[in-house]
């Protein structure tokens, strides 16, 4: 567009899910939250393959994944439902759909997961951080700007279910470290992806103009 790069500014996304909502520490053992609309680029197939590994190889028989997000009566959705049945993990995956009270599910879960093959800057990572959840996330798009690997979560390559499963297993087994990662992610989100930081950056741009 031939715009002077000095006139281009970026303000990070933020989420207001903490307004009028509370988060507690009463977590459901071996529980995972997946905040991602059921679309092909979110690669739920990668996640479900990892869940099969966790259930059958790592023996997480009581593992439960809450899949939150819009879904449609399309081929992708029907293929996912068939995949769940084929892999015999129906007791481990709950497709919830779109919800208005995300905190209800973030309260239950020990970790947040994003298994996408393509991303920009996912708001779900910000929401996980606000809820103080440690995260396993594929290293795509701008995810590495939100998640510092092995500090506030674990970054894994996309389309690799075995590595994804191992990373989830690590966070579920190492509770103390997982809690610390969640705290560090929340601090990072509050500093760089909060409503306050958005307004601060916005006002700075207005002032420069």
């Amino acid at each position: 567009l031939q715009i002077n790069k000095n006139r281009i500014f970026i303000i990070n996304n933020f989420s207001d899910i903490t307004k009028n909502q509370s988060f507690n520490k009463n977590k459901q053992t071996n529980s995972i939250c997946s905040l991602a609309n059921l679309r092909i680029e979110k690669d739920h197939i990668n996640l479900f393959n990892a869940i099969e590994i966790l259930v059958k190889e790592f023996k997480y028989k009581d593992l439960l994944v809450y899949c939150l997000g819009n879904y449609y009566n399309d081929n992708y959705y029907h293929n996912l439902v068939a995949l769940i049945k084929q892999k015999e993990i129906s007791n481990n995956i709950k497709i919830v759909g779109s919800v208005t009270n995300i905190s209800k599910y973030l309260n239950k879960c020990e970790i947040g997961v994003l298994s996408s093959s393509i991303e920009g800057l996912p708001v779900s990572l910000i929401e996980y951080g606000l809820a103080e959840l440690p995260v396993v996330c594929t290293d795509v798009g701008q995810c590495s700007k939100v998640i510092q690997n092995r500090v506030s979560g674990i970054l894994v390559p996309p389309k690799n279910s075995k590595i994804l499963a191992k990373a989830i297993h690590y966070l579920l087994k190492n509770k103390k470290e997982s809690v610390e990662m969640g705290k560090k992610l929340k601090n990072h989100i509050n500093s760089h992806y909060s409503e306050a930081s958005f307004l601060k950056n916005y006002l700075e741009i207005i002032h420069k103009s």
Side-chain angles (χ1 to χ4, degrees):
L1 297 176
Q2 299 182 349
I3 297 173
N4 187 325
K5 66 180 181 180
N6 295 323
R7 301 294 297 169
I8 299 174
F9 304 94
I10 297 175
I11 304 179
N12 292 326
N13 278 339
F14 71 93
S15 173
D16 63 354
I17 64 164
T18 55
K19 289 185 176 180
N20 303 318
Q21 299 188 41
S22 60
F23 298 97
N24 60 50
K25 306 299 181 182
N26 297 322
K27 301 299 184 181
Q28 180 179 323
T29 302
N30 296 336
S31 54
I32 298 171
C33 187
S34 171
L35 286 174
N37 293 329
L38 270 66
R39 303 196 309 266
I40 191 168
E41 61 269 22
K42 299 298 183 179
D43 202 0
H44 292 80
I45 294 173
N46 181 25
L47 175 59
F48 294 173
N49 287 338
I51 298 307
E52 180 187 28
I53 294 170
L54 286 162
V55 171
K56 296 181 179 179
E57 296 183 23
F58 289 90
K59 308 303 180 184
Y60 283 96
K61 301 300 183 183
D62 61 342
L63 184 68
L64 184 57
V65 183
Y66 295 97
C67 294
L68 309 181
N70 290 323
Y71 65 87
Y72 307 94
N73 191 28
D74 57 8
N75 287 336
Y76 183 66
Y77 170 74
H78 290 294
N79 287 339
L80 290 179
V81 171
L83 185 67
I84 292 170
K85 185 175 181 180
Q86 173 195 331
K87 293 183 174 296
E88 300 179 332
I89 51 175
S90 299
N91 292 332
N92 306 103
I93 295 176
K94 185 175 180 60
I95 297 178
V96 179
S98 179
V99 297
T100 55
N101 185 7
I102 296 175
S103 65
K104 173 184 175 182
Y105 294 92
L106 295 177
N107 267 331
K108 294 181 178 182
C109 295
E110 293 187 299
I111 66 173
V113 172
L114 190 67
S115 56
S116 302
S117 58
I118 301 172
E119 276 296 350
L121 196 162
V123 176
S124 59
L125 296 184
I126 297 172
E127 292 170 335
Y128 291 149
L130 291 173
E132 214 168 291
L133 291 184
V135 173
V136 176
C137 176
T138 45
D139 190 2
V140 293
Q142 292 183 286
C143 293
S144 61
K145 292 185 178 297
V146 182
I147 305 299
Q148 188 177 356
N149 192 33
R150 297 287 173 173
V151 175
S152 56
I154 300 178
L155 292 171
V156 298
K159 295 187 178 298
N160 193 319
S161 302
K162 289 184 178 180
I163 295 179
L164 178 60
K166 288 180 180 179
I168 294 171
H169 168 67
Y170 183 87
L171 288 186
L172 291 175
K173 291 294 288 184
N174 296 278
K175 307 288 187 183
K176 186 176 180 180
E177 187 175 351
S178 295
V179 169
E180 287 302 312
M181 285 185 181
K183 289 178 180 178
K184 289 175 181 177
L185 180 56
K186 184 174 184 178
N187 289 337
H188 181 69
I189 296 301
N190 285 335
S191 297
H192 301 283
Y193 300 93
S194 65
E195 184 176 359
S197 66
F198 176 94
L199 291 173
K200 178 177 178 291
N201 292 332
Y202 178 75
L203 292 174
E204 286 177 355
I205 292 172
I206 296 298
H207 179 71
K208 289 177 181 179
S209 301

